[in-house]
Every structure is written in structure tokens, then in C-alpha cells.
Amino acid sequence: MDKNKLQTQAEQRLIADYYENLTKSFDQRITEEGRERIHKAFEFANSAHAGVKRKSGEPYIVHPIAVAMIVSQEIGLGATSIISAILHDVVEDTDYTTEDIKNLFGEKVAKVVDGLTKLSDEITSQHDSKQATNFRKMLMTLSDDIRVILVKLADRLHNMRTLDSMPTPKQLKIAAETLYIFAPMAHRLGLYSIKTELEDLSLKYKQPETYNQIVFRLRNQQERREYLVNEFVQPIQNQLQNEGIDFTVSGRLKSIFSIWNKMQTKGISFDEIYDLLAIRIVFKPKTNISEKRQCFDILSLITDIYKPKPDRIRDWITIPKANGYEALHVTVMGPQGKWVEVQIRTERMDVIAERGFAAHYKYKGVHSIESELDKWLEKIRETLRNPESDALEFLDEFKMNLYTSEIVIFTPKGDMIPLPKGATIIDLAYEIHTDLGNHCIGAKINHKLVPVSYVLQSGDQVEILTSKTQAPDLEWLKFMSTAKAKTKVKQAFKLDKKRHLEKGQEIIEEKLKQYKIKPSADTLKKLAAHYNLSNKDQLYAHVGMGFIQIDDLESILKTRRENKLAKYWKISFGKNKNNQGRELELMLPKTQINKKNTFLLKEDPDERNYTLAKCCQPIPGDDVLGYMTSNNHVIIHKTKCPEANKLMSQHGDRIITAEWTNFKKRSYLTRIKVSGFDRIGIVNEVTNIISKQSNINMRTVMFDTHDGIFEGDLYIYIHNLGDLNKLIARLMKIKGIDTIERIENIEN
């Protein structure tokens, strides 16, 4: 039977419309020969996917065409990338192989498609996260072609745009993975508009109520904003026209995710965000005058009209961002007493700002030595060449490399070296050369001696000091910041793996012997899990190399007999860097949990088969999700918890939806911070409302006053979120109280 007959006439019309829109997005980039190859790829993929539907009910081929549309129109790539996008799911979902793709469409397309093809369950390590393994494989192709990542970002963007048809656990997993890896990746590659949309869509599915509230507030203020823009822009336009500058002016609203993120990090309300709006001036530069000078001339014209905020002038032209972004930013006091950010760019800068390096990246192997992107890709390749790191370790290292909050360091000769914020002397040493890092003993900054642990500040001029007798030190790992430096130090201690394994096994068995515990597979598995390692060999190696000191064995392996028939292990993860606040109870016998159904959280201790995560301290009423361990135990996290976000990105298949039942008996330790203007009796009023009027027990109460301002740190026992909100509402009525904030992290 002809596969195309499996498609109805309506479906064929829909597919034809999608493909026609794709062809309309082509410009002079796509030659006639390229268009023919693209059409051949479309016919091939349409036949291969015939009869297959998406969750939304649409023919499957609609998805690859939509991805190709993003690749063509929103990223601006050529024929090879468009063909790869159309074919990106053929090898994974049909009987065709990468070899077939190579024979039909050439080696380049085959390599990109292979990089985009996910691994099957059979060849995915049981210890590593499937997503992390897939991502690592995909990044391997960076050695040959960055188009793999660009097409993957387009694929992820279309999946996020059509996430409505997915079940909630799948939505949470995909949204978290997007926020954890793909949005930072888009930012790192300079794809600002794609990064913004990925972040906004992730928030929409992770925290729908918060997302909708911000959207509502923005719509409410739209008319007022438009008036402000017109009033603000008019005098600037007049001045630029008088100067004979060819320009366009537009307003850019801060993204929903950026607004939410600022509210979280700064602890402020929606109304306190002063840079909701930015005005963008894009101009056509005059020839024979430097772009930088012309940008500063426009800045001067603007600051003649409006007074600038001195600490809010950002020069990204002299030193562009790591992703290539160039612009001049200034925040000025506009009409109605509102701060307004103005962004000044040339047309060239604007193209790079929207499409990043994808707009002009050279694919034919002609790499510019000065390209920041090439330097970054080389760092990724270095990480990939390290055979010792497992997929999860790699994902963490890669994530670290995505952070673009950078500082600039100067060498004694005046060369600039960009480093992530928080980098130390030893990070800088390894950034310059491995030998320099291995023998580093300190540095001189402004003729002053500083240790290897010194945290660098942007603008420091640093002279690295070395000694032939110095060697890499495991203590360095505690304060190192960059993945490259950490990898180099670890490699120095991995020269004799077998010896380390034997030494580690000997140390662990000796420790277990002291507590009369047999080194069984189950015991070793629990120890490895505690330190976030995949298997016993990794555990032995880390102990043998001295990365892990097993001094807290007693607290890790606690056994307790409930009766003659049952006992359970309780493993409590300490607050180390990778496992901060994660708690896990492994129980026997196992409880069967249906991942498709919502997991109900019950108050009855006899029916409890879950643990509340220490990292975010959820209380009944919070929006939560469950992380199911390998032993069918569930750990409950808040949906907005960073640790939960990481778990969803790395172990999305173990995430389940969870809901509270009615909680009224038990109380949960909660921390709130209160601040305001000090006056006699205010502390007494606060404690009176908590203990007497609200009948809430307090564990710890600390108040501090200075210069007429008071701050209170209170640890209280709350039944549920409703009770907490009522308490906060009562406290806010006290004269002098200014802010009340719930603190997620409770330090016991």
C-alpha cells in the first residue's frame, strides 16, 4: 500500500501549506540547487513519516518542517541545515539508517542527523541519565559541525511551542531540561530571541500561575507603557533626525522569565522592577567613522536630553560579551520619574544580537583565532576528550561553561583573558596553560602577593608565580571555578587508575569492617548513590584518589529494625555541592507507584512513602512534584526548586506529579524574615500574633536593630501554606512592618 494514501486530503493540504511557508522563507542564501535538494529531503521525509501522528493529532512531518522553518527564518542557516532539520527524526523513528542518509544526501547532512539522533534504551548506561548521555553524544559532533546544536535548539523550540498536548510530568521534564541546558545554550550562542522564548515557555509550564499573573500585570500596564514610550522617544527622534542619522527606534519589553527571575533574586515585587521597558536604537553607521565612536555620539545626544544613572552605563562594544553581543546600554531618568534603559546598536550589531554567531559563522573550517565562540567550542571539546567523566559529571561541567557572567583579566603584557565570575588564580593559570596551572604557587596583583585561592576581580592585572617543586593539590578542587581547571587537576590524579581502584576498595572494606558491615553490592550501591556516583568502580576510584573522605560512614549507613520481618535503610545526603539537601529513604518492601497517576501526599504516618526535600523545605499547599528513586521511594520538591530543576533535566523519566491531601495535624518547620522600621513594642507584637493569636509554635526567634531599622529571623512550625499566608497577612498589618519573606533554605 502506498504510504501517501495513509494521509487524508486535509492532511496533505496542511503539509503542503507548511512546506510552502518554508520555501517562502528562503532568500539568496539558498541556491536553485539547494532548493532542489531541500525538496528531495521533504519528499523523502514525508514518505518515511507517512501515517505517523504527533500527540496533537497532526501528521508527524509537520514537526520537521516547522523545525526547518525556525532554522531558515529565525536562525538564518543554509540548505544543509534546513535539510538536516527536515530529516532529523528519520533515523530515530523509521527503518532508514544514517548510511541511507549519507548515500542520498551526502556526508555532511548524515553527520548532523547522526548528532541529532537520540540513543536507544539498549545502549544507554543504566547509571547515567539518558538525557545527559544523549546530550553528550550530540555535543561530540561539535568537533565537526556546530549546526547540530543550532538545529537541536530549533527542534527544542518547536517542541516547547507545542507542549500543550503532552501529559503534565512530560511537560515538567521537558521544561526543566530546557531551562537547565537549552536556554543557556541559546544565550551562549547569541540567539537572544530563541533563548527568551525558551525561558518564557519553560516558566509557563513549570509555574503556570506565576506566568499568568505576570502576563496579566503586563497587559494591564500596556496603554500606560505605550504613552511613556511615545513621550520618551519623541525628543530623541528629533535630535537624531537633526544630526542626519539613519535610524529606527523600537520598544523592547523585559521577558516574562527575566521579570520573574529578578523578582526572585532581588526579593522585590513586580511594581519595584524599574527596567521593564527598554528602548532600542538601531542605526546605519556612516562610512569612514568607527562604529564605536558613532554609538558614543548617540549616547551623548541622549544624555543631553535625559540624566543618566551613573552606575548603569554598559559598554559591550569595547569588550563584547562572550557570545559576541555588542551594544551600548544606558539607563536614564525619563518622563514621569521612570528609569528607562536605552540600547544603542548598529545594524550589524543588531543582527548579531538577534541571531548570534549563527548569522555569520564560517562552516568550512576557516576559523578566526579571535572568535570567542571558537575558543568556547574548544573548551567543550576538551571536556569531551576527558574519558573519565560520566554523563552526569559532564553535564554539570558543561552547564558550568554556559554561564556567561564574565570578568576580564589582564596579563602583564596587557592581553585580555575572559573568565567566569568567581574564578580564582588557579583557574586563570590553567586557562593559560596546563603546566602553568600544575606549578602555580600564587600570583601578584598590583605588586601584591595573593594565594592560589584568591578570587579575581574584573580588571585585575595578574602575574602568575610558579615553582618547579609545586604539583597539583586536591585541596584546589574546593575553590576552583572552571570546568577546565578541575578536569586538569583530576587528570593529574588519574594516571594510575588500577592502583586507585585497589586502594579505594581497601579503604572502604576496612571502614565497613569497623562497623561489622559486609561490602555487599547493595551497601556499595547506597554508598555510591550518597556521593552521586554511578557505580562501585567510581566509588573506589574517588576514595582511592582522595576526592572523598569516608569519615561519616556511621551517619550514612544507619540500620534500624522495625520488627522481625522488616527493616529499612535510611540514607541522608549531606549538604555537599552536588547533593545539597537531598534526602532519600530506601524502604523494604517496595511500594508500587503508578507514574501516570497523581501521587497523593498523605499526612497519616502509616501511609507515608515519601520524604520532603531539605533543599527547598516544601510545606502542604506548595506547588510540588515528586522524584521517584530506584527503590520506588518519592522525594517531594517544590516545582521551582533549583535541585528539582536539575533532577528533571537529568532524570525526567522519574518525575511524577504530586498533590497534597488535607494536612491539619502535623507541623512543618518554616523560616520567615521580617524587616521594617523599629519602634518600642514591635517585637512583642510580632511574637504575640504568632504564638497567641495564630497559635503557632516558634522554635527560634532572632531580632536585630540598627539605625532605626529592624530585621527578624523566625523559625516557626506551620501546618500548611494557607496558615502561613494568613499569618503573613496578619503580620503585615503591624505598623512599621515593611517586608516579610519566606526563606527556602532552613539551616538546622
Side-chain angles (χ1 to χ4, degrees):
M1 183 180 178
D2 186 356
K3 279 188 175 183
N4 288 320
K5 289 180 181 176
L6 295 171
Q7 295 171 348
T8 65
Q9 284 189 338
E11 287 172 345
Q12 287 173 12
R13 277 198 303 274
L14 177 71
I15 293 165
D17 287 344
Y18 265 88
Y19 183 68
E20 187 182 350
N21 287 335
L22 172 63
T23 58
K24 285 177 182 175
S25 72
F26 300 160
D27 52 27
Q28 64 273 16
R29 286 173 294 122
I30 313 299
T31 62
E32 196 57 44
E33 187 262 339
R35 289 167 189 253
E36 287 174 10
R37 289 175 63 224
I38 290 168
H39 187 72
K40 178 185 173 185
F42 162 67
E43 294 283 0
F44 176 74
N46 192 21
S47 174
H49 292 301
V52 182
K53 299 278 197 299
R54 297 193 85 208
K55 291 275 187 187
S56 60
E58 292 178 319
Y60 192 86
I61 187 64
V62 164
H63 168 64
I65 298 172
V67 173
M69 183 74 173
I70 295 168
V71 165
S72 172
Q73 192 170 45
E74 299 182 48
I75 304 180
L77 299 181
T80 300
S81 300
I82 294 168
I83 292 166
S84 302
I86 292 171
L87 301 174
H88 79 270
D89 278 334
V90 167
V91 175
E92 181 190 352
D93 295 337
T94 74
D95 294 332
Y96 291 103
T97 64
T98 308
E99 195 63 30
D100 296 327
I101 302 293
K102 182 179 175 182
N103 293 334
L104 287 166
F105 300 99
E107 191 171 344
K108 281 187 179 179
V109 171
K111 275 191 174 182
V112 177
V113 171
D114 184 50
L116 291 160
T117 302
K118 297 170 184 172
L119 296 179
S120 65
D121 289 325
E122 289 75 34
I123 58 171
T124 302
S125 164
Q126 61 176 337
H127 303 296
D128 292 341
S129 155
K130 186 179 176 184
Q131 290 103 296
T133 310
N134 293 339
F135 203 80
R136 181 172 186 160
K137 186 199 178 196
M138 185 178 69
L139 287 170
M140 289 282 191
T141 56
L142 277 177
S143 305
D144 306 310
D145 205 327
I146 196 179
R147 282 175 287 201
V148 176
I149 298 299
L150 297 173
V151 176
K152 184 63 183 175
L153 283 169
D155 177 40
R156 177 51 59 115
L157 179 58
H158 186 250
N159 281 335
M160 288 300 294
R161 286 173 176 173
T162 56
L163 205 54
D164 276 334
S165 55
M166 290 288 184
T168 304
K170 194 84 170 171
Q171 287 177 344
L172 287 171
K173 173 246 175 185
I174 293 171
E177 190 179 80
T178 300
L179 207 54
Y180 188 74
I181 285 291
F182 289 99
M185 168 72 85
H187 184 93
R188 197 62 172 79
L189 294 174
L191 298 165
Y192 176 78
S193 55
I194 288 178
K195 167 248 185 189
T196 301
E197 190 175 351
L198 288 174
E199 286 178 338
D200 283 356
L201 289 169
S202 296
L203 185 65
K204 177 183 175 182
Y205 289 102
K206 285 192 76 215
Q207 298 185 53
E209 283 186 22
T210 303
Y211 177 87
N212 291 330
Q213 282 171 7
I214 295 173
V215 169
F216 177 75
R217 296 292 296 273
L218 289 173
R219 281 179 187 158
N220 262 5
Q221 295 182 0
Q222 187 172 350
E223 198 173 309
R224 195 172 75 189
R225 257 193 330 268
E226 286 171 356
Y227 175 77
L228 177 66
V229 169
N230 294 331
E231 191 182 355
F232 177 85
V233 165
Q234 194 59 53
I236 296 175
Q237 284 181 321
N238 295 339
Q239 194 66 37
L240 293 176
Q241 284 165 357
N242 292 340
E243 295 288 331
I245 297 169
D246 185 1
F247 69 96
T248 58
V249 179
S250 59
R252 181 196 65 82
L253 196 60
K254 199 174 187 72
S255 75
I256 296 166
F257 179 84
S258 295
I259 292 168
W260 172 82
N261 195 44
K262 193 156 194 175
M263 288 165 66
Q264 299 299 306
T265 54
K266 302 282 186 184
I268 56 178
S269 67
F270 179 89
D271 295 322
E272 291 174 283
I273 297 175
Y274 65 78
D275 57 349
L276 274 178
L277 190 70
I279 302 299
R280 184 173 295 157
I281 298 170
V282 179
F283 69 97
K284 190 171 186 176
K286 296 170 183 175
T287 54
N288 303 323
I289 305 174
S290 77
E291 289 185 355
K292 177 180 173 180
R293 179 180 161 187
Q294 292 179 70
C295 287
F296 273 95
D297 285 345
I298 292 174
L299 173 70
S300 178
L301 292 174
I302 292 166
T303 53
D304 283 345
I305 302 168
Y306 299 114
K307 295 300 177 203
K309 201 168 191 272
D311 61 338
R312 292 289 295 176
I313 295 176
R314 300 282 184 268
D315 177 9
W316 300 115
I317 300 174
T318 307
I319 303 175
K321 287 187 179 182
N323 58 16
Y325 180 83
E326 292 178 72
L328 204 55
H329 291 196
V330 60
T331 300
V332 297
M333 178 59 77
Q336 303 172 23
K338 298 284 184 185
W339 289 109
V340 181
E341 183 183 78
V342 182
Q343 301 172 354
I344 304 163
R345 308 173 180 171
T346 63
E347 289 174 342
R348 177 190 65 82
M349 294 172 189
D350 192 54
V351 171
I352 295 172
E354 292 306 307
R355 290 184 170 179
F357 278 96
H360 56 80
Y361 190 78
K362 299 169 185 175
Y363 295 114
K364 297 179 180 178
V366 185
H367 300 300
S368 166
I369 295 170
E370 300 304 316
S371 167
E372 288 296 330
L373 180 63
D374 287 332
K375 291 176 187 174
W376 176 69
L377 291 177
E378 187 52 43
K379 285 182 186 177
I380 299 304
R381 290 179 192 124
E382 277 188 29
T383 311
L384 288 164
R385 289 186 199 117
N386 175 18
E388 300 295 335
S389 67
D390 61 45
L392 290 178
E393 184 182 338
F394 162 75
L395 196 61
D396 281 340
E397 289 176 351
F398 178 76
K399 172 73 173 163
M400 198 185 302
N401 272 327
L402 284 179
Y403 287 115
T404 54
S405 180
E406 292 195 338
I407 58 174
V408 176
I409 303 303
F410 292 90
T411 67
K413 291 181 180 178
D415 296 329
M416 291 190 303
I417 299 175
L419 284 169
K421 200 171 181 180
T424 61
I425 294 295
I426 199 69
D427 290 308
L428 173 63
Y430 275 111
E431 185 66 27
I432 297 169
H433 198 279
T434 302
D435 282 345
L436 201 63
N438 287 340
H439 301 296
C440 179
I441 56 171
K444 273 187 181 180
I445 297 178
N446 301 327
H447 308 292
K448 181 185 173 185
L449 282 173
V450 293
V452 290
S453 60
Y454 176 84
V455 177
L456 294 161
Q457 305 298 313
S458 198
D460 281 345
Q461 189 167 20
V462 185
E463 180 188 351
I464 300 293
L465 303 175
T466 59
S467 167
K468 290 181 181 179
T469 58
Q470 178 65 291
D473 191 336
L474 287 172
E475 289 295 310
W476 291 352
L477 292 171
K478 293 177 181 177
F479 51 77
M480 278 179 158
S481 177
T482 64
K484 179 180 179 179
K486 287 183 177 181
T487 302
K488 294 294 182 186
V489 171
K490 286 179 182 179
Q491 282 176 347
F493 287 88
K494 289 178 180 176
L495 300 175
D496 189 349
K497 190 175 179 182
K498 187 179 177 184
R499 180 169 57 82
H500 291 314
L501 282 170
E502 290 172 354
K503 185 180 177 184
Q505 183 174 357
E506 189 181 319
I507 291 169
I508 288 172
E509 287 180 357
E510 187 59 39
K511 290 272 186 185
L512 290 171
K513 203 175 189 181
Q514 293 174 17
Y515 294 96
K516 297 180 180 177
I517 298 170
K518 291 182 179 178
S520 65
D522 196 37
T523 301
L524 294 170
K525 184 180 176 183
K526 288 164 189 170
L527 275 173
H530 175 76
Y531 292 105
N532 202 28
L533 301 172
S534 300
N535 50 51
K536 67 175 184 180
D537 282 351
Q538 274 196 357
L539 178 68
Y540 288 153
H542 277 64
V543 172
M545 288 183 283
F547 294 154
I548 295 173
Q549 306 294 327
I550 310 242
D551 296 328
D552 54 349
L553 199 71
E554 189 174 7
S555 64
I556 298 169
L557 300 174
K558 285 184 179 176
T559 58
R560 184 176 86 194
R561 291 190 177 276
E562 293 293 317
N563 51 48
K564 290 182 181 178
L565 297 174
K567 71 174 182 178
Y568 70 81
W569 287 93
K570 183 175 182 183
I571 301 179
S572 184
F573 288 84
K575 293 183 180 178
N576 58 45
K577 189 170 183 181
N578 294 322
N579 305 301
Q580 185 164 2
R582 198 184 303 169
E583 187 176 273
L584 171 63
E585 286 182 359
L586 301 178
M587 290 188 159
L588 297 172
K590 294 183 183 179
T591 308
Q592 291 303 313
I593 295 169
N594 187 340
K595 288 196 284 185
K596 292 182 181 178
N597 297 334
T598 299
F599 183 73
L600 295 177
L601 305 172
K602 299 178 181 178
E603 188 171 22
D604 188 343
D606 294 332
E607 296 189 52
R608 283 191 65 174
N609 57 344
Y610 64 89
T611 305
L612 301 179
K614 294 283 186 187
C615 49
C616 56
Q617 292 289 343
I619 63 173
D622 284 329
D623 289 333
V624 291
L625 53 84
Y627 168 71
M628 194 161 62
T629 71
S630 56
N631 216 53
N632 261 17
H633 185 74
V634 177
I635 305 165
I636 302 301
H637 288 266
K638 285 186 186 175
T639 52
K640 62 182 181 181
C641 169
E643 181 66 21
N645 203 41
K646 185 175 175 180
L647 288 170
M648 283 188 280
S649 345
Q650 297 181 347
H651 304 283
D653 54 326
R654 295 188 184 180
I655 299 299
I656 57 175
T657 54
E659 282 184 13
W660 304 95
T661 55
N662 195 23
F663 278 64
K664 280 292 177 188
K665 298 174 188 173
R666 245 183 116 181
S667 295
Y668 298 86
L669 187 63
T670 307
R671 182 182 178 189
I672 60 172
K673 275 194 177 261
V674 184
S675 63
F677 301 99
D678 191 24
R679 62 178 174 79
I680 295 171
I682 195 167
V683 172
N684 188 48
E685 282 186 52
V686 169
T687 55
N688 185 53
I689 284 178
I690 294 172
S691 61
K692 291 183 181 176
Q693 292 185 34
S694 304
N695 199 26
I696 291 170
N697 290 326
M698 295 179 284
R699 192 190 79 171
T700 311
V701 178
M702 291 178 284
F703 281 93
D704 183 34
T705 62
H706 52 89
D707 299 329
I709 302 294
F710 87 92
E711 290 181 348
D713 199 357
L714 299 94
Y715 292 77
I716 56 179
Y717 288 97
I718 290 285
H719 287 301
N720 52 54
L721 186 63
D723 288 355
L724 179 62
N725 289 337
K726 284 177 189 173
L727 172 66
I728 290 172
R730 284 176 182 165
L731 292 174
M732 284 302 292
K733 290 177 182 176
I734 297 174
K735 185 182 176 183
I737 296 282
D738 182 52
T739 60
I740 300 175
E741 180 188 4
R742 179 180 169 191
I743 306 297
E744 308 290 345
N745 182 27
I746 299 178
E747 298 167 3
N748 289 307

